[in-house]
Amino acid sequence: MELLSLVARLALPAPVRPSDPPAAPAPLPVDWAAVEGRLGLRLPADYKRLVSACGPLELGGRLWLHAPCERGERFEYGDWLWETHRECRIASRRTPPYQPPPFHPEPGGLLAWGETRDGVRLFWDTGAHDDPDRWPVVAHDRNAGGEEDPWRRWGTTLTETVAALLADGLPLPRGRTLGPLPATACRTAFLVGARPWTPPERDPEPAPEAGGVRRAALTGGNGLEALTRLVPPPATPYLGDGTWEWLFEELGTRLPDEYVTLMERYGSGHWGNWLGFFTPLRTAGNGLAHHARRAADTYRGLRGRFPEHHPLAVWPEPGGFLPFAVSVEGDYLGWLTEGEPDDWPVAVWPRRAGQGPPLAGTLTDVLLEWLRGDLVTEGLAGLGEEDDPLAFAGFSPGSDDTHW
């Protein structure tokens, strides 16, 4: 059965709230010539027909079948591809067989097309066949654990994969199964109102002097001066609507002067598309104080159940861990609040590894060493031999719309 016909038979899911029914699938007028021209690949015909007719979909309440589209801060297809490929490349270095497969745009590399709510990423193996309609699907399960290969090669095309997921499911690591999914389909909730992706113009070559300054900062200099040469700060840092005095009162402590200086130069945002610094002065909703409380509650709960794996005190306990940033995989970066704030050491609470010692140096030292590719520690993504640090040493500033 053709993919579009298969999906057309699926029902809308029942609304979670009567006042908020799910959106029905709707056409998305993708410029496929522009998309394929930017990717340098033809895409499977069944995928293009489905997306043109239905747009991005949530299948069975669990699987997001993404499309070349964009919606404000929530989703941009090109960024999603880049981030998904990078995250799975990094994760593959930590798990058997400890050798990442090639990812697009490498010739024959894996190309992402979907993901599940619980961390399974779905790709086409573009090197398996010259005909894209015969590309097999490959799955990466980030919850496979550290001792098992997270990759599964099902040998099924996109249409065959969706049919199998709706019927009996497909195998994942550790004896788990993806599916069978409920026979429902709707527009992905966070992509209601999305518009077709317009491939951006390719970045111009940087001026020699600009590239030279950044390249030199990979090896020369230290402190905030070197950091700002490597990663130019935004013109208008986003801090939130409060004051530092308000935050210190909320937390019951002042914070290191170095952190305040760093945030006033950069504000909240994502470093290296990996590490998100919380918005420090947001007084309502998702700011540093809010995230720190949630993380502390989570850590205390885990410490109560697995004390051998969670040895830290946690804020506001004396000397407790106080997080100010989180990675895309849920690793926290924070301080051990011992002594005076300007003397607090920086530490990582890694999601998938045992607790390590505090990191050497100041927060700026840690950030600079990591962006240069010189810091290797659990919880902070490292660079491979093939990676150019300048391609990853970037900063995306926060805004009123960001949740961190």
Side-chain angles (χ1 to χ4, degrees):
M1 180 182 296
E2 188 191 42
L3 181 60
L4 179 55
S5 300
L6 176 64
V7 171
R9 297 185 176 193
L10 304 180
L12 276 176
V16 177
R17 294 181 297 274
S19 60
D20 189 21
L28 185 74
V30 175
D31 183 344
W32 291 110
V35 171
E36 292 176 326
R38 184 56 188 260
L39 295 176
L41 291 170
R42 289 188 300 118
L43 295 174
D46 56 354
Y47 171 76
K48 292 189 288 186
R49 284 192 293 269
L50 178 67
V51 167
S52 294
C54 299
L57 293 172
E58 179 177 290
L59 300 177
R62 185 176 178 188
L63 170 63
W64 291 316
L65 192 152
H66 287 313
C69 66
E70 53 191 291
R71 185 188 171 208
E73 297 275 346
R74 298 300 304 274
F75 186 84
E76 201 274 348
Y77 177 71
D79 288 346
W80 174 75
L81 285 179
W82 190 89
E83 292 165 8
T84 299
H85 294 177
R86 184 191 180 209
E87 289 170 22
C88 290
R89 182 189 298 113
I90 291 167
S92 293
R93 297 191 188 114
R94 304 174 176 176
T95 52
Y98 305 105
Q99 180 61 46
F103 291 88
H104 182 271
E106 296 178 58
L110 302 182
L111 178 66
W113 60 263
E115 60 188 324
T116 70
R117 290 178 176 272
D118 51 354
V120 178
R121 268 63 179 272
L122 300 166
F123 301 81
W124 288 295
D125 183 353
T126 71
H129 206 281
D130 292 337
D131 180 359
D133 293 334
R134 298 176 66 180
W135 287 344
V137 169
V138 180
H140 179 274
D141 181 7
R142 73 178 181 188
N143 297 309
E147 303 302 322
E148 186 167 348
D149 185 354
W151 293 97
R152 289 295 180 268
R153 296 182 175 272
W154 293 327
T156 51
T157 65
L158 174 60
T159 300
E160 293 166 345
T161 297
V162 172
L165 293 175
L166 292 168
D168 302 311
L170 288 166
L172 292 174
R174 299 167 60 188
R176 296 160 54 240
T177 301
L178 177 56
L181 301 178
T184 62
C186 63
R187 171 61 68 94
T188 303
F190 60 85
L191 293 177
V192 172
R195 64 178 187 270
W197 181 57
T198 301
E201 297 292 332
R202 295 191 182 276
D203 294 335
E205 290 295 322
E209 61 274 15
V213 167
R214 294 191 66 219
R215 183 73 61 185
L218 287 174
T219 55
N222 53 55
L224 188 59
E225 180 184 357
L227 182 62
T228 57
R229 286 191 285 113
L230 177 61
V231 184
T236 307
Y238 178 72
L239 295 169
D241 58 318
T243 64
W244 289 110
E245 289 71 22
W246 167 84
L247 177 62
F248 298 163
E249 184 175 346
E250 279 288 300
L251 297 176
T253 179
R254 73 176 182 88
L255 299 178
D257 290 342
E258 180 211 20
Y259 169 77
V260 174
T261 300
L262 177 70
M263 296 306 290
E264 289 183 342
R265 291 297 296 274
Y266 287 93
S268 65
H270 260 102
W271 291 87
N273 280 310
W274 184 264
L275 188 62
F277 274 55
F278 302 136
T279 302
L281 307 183
R282 183 178 281 161
T283 59
N286 297 327
L288 188 150
H290 167 82
H291 287 294
R293 291 189 184 97
R294 289 190 62 181
D297 290 343
T298 298
Y299 195 94
R300 276 189 286 270
L302 291 169
R303 189 177 60 190
R305 296 168 59 198
F306 310 105
E308 67 278 14
H309 300 305
H310 299 84
L312 299 179
V314 63
W315 171 82
E317 299 165 9
F321 180 75
L322 173 58
F324 54 80
V326 66
S327 81
V328 296
E329 289 200 345
D331 314 279
Y332 284 91
L333 186 68
W335 300 283
L336 300 180
T337 55
E338 304 165 348
E340 293 299 314
D342 290 336
D343 298 327
W344 290 348
V346 176
V348 178
W349 166 23
R351 182 184 177 195
R352 304 176 189 279
Q355 182 62 52
L359 303 176
T362 66
L363 169 58
T364 304
D365 294 334
V366 167
L367 196 54
L368 185 60
E369 186 180 4
W370 173 61
L371 292 168
R372 286 169 166 172
D374 296 331
L375 176 61
V376 179
T377 188
E378 294 290 349
L380 294 180
L383 300 181
E385 294 180 0
E386 73 281 7
D387 293 330
D388 179 356
L390 285 188
F392 300 96
F395 180 76
S396 301
S399 71
D400 286 334
D401 297 325
T402 49
H403 71 275
W404 26 260

